Amino acid sequence: MEVIIGKEKNTLFEQGAVYDCVMKDQGNKIIHYKVYGDEFSLSCTDKEFKQNFVLIQHKKTSR
């Protein structure tokens, strides 16, 4: 995912990379996602998330 500001192109999120994500349910069945990149974070709706990202679920291990 790239953004162009003026003549400069910045890559916000790279295809194939794995990023941390938080899912928030506001009680009205609308889910919002917060995706944390290396330099940027992105808030998006369920529809926007599904158009641009794939959710990979994993179990946390205790250390």
Side-chain angles (χ1 to χ4, degrees), residues 1 13 19-26 29-37 40-57:
M1 180 179 291
F13 297 94
Y19 299 99
D20 291 328
C21 177
V22 174
M23 298 174 8
K24 296 180 182 180
D25 181 354
Q26 295 180 332
K29 308 270 185 196
I30 297 175
I31 298 174
H32 292 273
Y33 295 84
K34 181 85 170 195
V35 182
Y36 297 94
F40 303 95
S41 62
L42 173 71
S43 296
C44 56
T45 65
D46 186 49
K47 182 179 178 180
E48 293 166 329
F49 182 86
K50 289 177 180 175
Q51 288 174 343
N52 296 287
F53 296 96
V54 175
L55 184 62
I56 301 171
Q57 297 180 356

Side-chain angles (χ1 to χ4, degrees), residues 4-16:
I4 299 172
I5 301 172
K7 294 182 180 181
E8 187 176 327
K9 184 188 291 188
N10 292 310
T11 300
L12 301 181
F13 297 94
E14 293 185 29
Q15 185 173 0

